[in-house]
Amino acid sequence: MGMKAIYLVKNGKPEEAFQIREKEKPVPAAGQVLIKTEAFGLNFADVMARLGLYQDCPPLPAVIGYEVVGTVESIGPSVTQAKVGERVVAFTRFGGYATHAITDERAVAAIPPEMDAGVACALATQYSTAYFAAEECVKLHEGDKVLIHAAAGGVGTALIQLAKLRGCTIFGTAGSAEKMEYLREQGVQYPINYRTTGFASEIKKLGFSKQLDAIFDPVGGKSVKQGIDLLNAGGRMVCYGASEMTDAKGNPFKMLQIALGFGLWSPIPMMMRSFSIIGINMLRIADHRPETLQRCLKEVVALTHAGKLQPTVGASYSADNIAGAHAFLASRQSIGKVVVKW
């Protein structure tokens, strides 16, 4: 029996990059589950993969995608943490853009039948990344001053909500008046429109120079170096992406400029000023610490079910309009999660 999958067939524009193809349905091996998917989520890493900027992307043609929501259709030998017929959200190490996806049982968490598919999709890559960053890598405390870049996106929204639960003072950057209003609604005390003002100069103007306790940065380049200058003693810079690279696609000089913009750091100034730089790649966590991934996923599912986290679904697309979904996410107009449904 077959299935459908959306293949990334060439790097470049979204309308030329994808094809829907029939393929053989996989059979789960030991420790694996097969999920009949109802929806999958988009992440900025998908945009990077489409542009040929994501080094972990498999050789083309490839089925990308890191998360699905659906029902467990079958399980492999020795599976104990998932049941046939159970509704779940799951991480996929690629392969998510398909009507069926196979994954490790440790990458799966049960969800209530009534949970919105888009909300559930947000809990996988985006909310689990935010939880790992804010609860396991950093551990925020009441009164901490926190800067969140791309704060209106999926991970940004999750970080705001986690920082609010901890009683932090939050600075958030985004790029439109609409997003400024969204950040205020989410509880950001200091929204900053990076298109109209430099975030570093704005934070200094507000009187918080060298007072930040944590910065979460998916942008990369010079924003990292500028952010480090704002950190207090004991401050932490958490990097989990380099979205600025997408604007430099095809321009090696600009890409080099962005890479150099991160700065070259030695442990000596880190020790003297007592700050740290933390890098996060959730694929590496999935590969080498699947129990950590599972713990983060189950925690955010439980917090959402309890009403303490409330993911925003900003847009929903049909699978036959995958190009439109990609174009929208890449435009940086999206708020919250972008989900694609079969």
Side-chain angles (χ1 to χ4, degrees), residues 18-201:
F18 299 103
Q19 286 180 6
I20 296 180
R21 299 178 179 178
E22 296 278 342
K23 64 175 290 192
E24 196 70 26
K25 192 190 299 183
V27 176
Q32 292 184 329
V33 300
L34 178 67
I35 299 164
K36 186 181 190 310
T37 63
E38 57 189 86
F40 59 88
L42 296 196
N43 295 283
F44 210 80
D46 298 15
V47 175
M48 301 284 278
R50 174 174 55 79
L51 294 173
L53 296 172
Y54 197 61
Q55 63 180 20
D56 283 318
C57 183
L60 304 189
V63 181
I64 60 174
Y66 304 103
E67 66 215 356
V68 298
V69 171
T71 304
V72 177
E73 185 171 287
S74 62
I75 60 175
S78 73
V79 168
T80 60
Q81 300 183 42
K83 299 172 186 172
V84 172
E86 197 170 45
R87 190 165 183 251
V88 295
V89 57
F91 284 99
T92 52
R93 203 194 190 294
F94 304 108
Y97 288 19
T99 58
H100 292 76
I102 206 158
T103 194
D104 190 295
E105 65 173 322
R106 293 168 294 184
V108 175
I111 57 172
E114 70 277 6
M115 183 177 280
D116 178 80
V119 166
C121 275
L123 299 180
T125 307
Q126 293 176 334
Y127 271 69
S128 294
T129 297
Y131 188 91
F132 182 66
E135 293 289 324
E136 303 212 355
C137 292
V138 168
K139 193 66 177 175
L140 298 174
H141 297 278
E142 187 172 357
D144 278 356
K145 298 175 183 66
V146 176
L147 169 61
I148 300 167
H149 286 293
V155 181
T157 297
L159 286 167
I160 291 168
Q161 293 174 1
L162 290 165
K164 268 182 68 179
L165 287 176
R166 291 291 178 186
C168 299
T169 298
I170 307 169
F171 303 79
T173 69
S176 70
E178 180 191 8
K179 289 182 178 181
M180 291 297 100
E181 186 56 36
Y182 174 76
L183 296 189
R184 291 186 191 96
E185 290 169 1
Q186 286 291 317
V188 174
Q189 291 95 331
Y190 299 102
I192 300 168
N193 189 333
Y194 69 83
R195 294 190 189 278
T196 59
T197 185
F199 75 88
S201 59

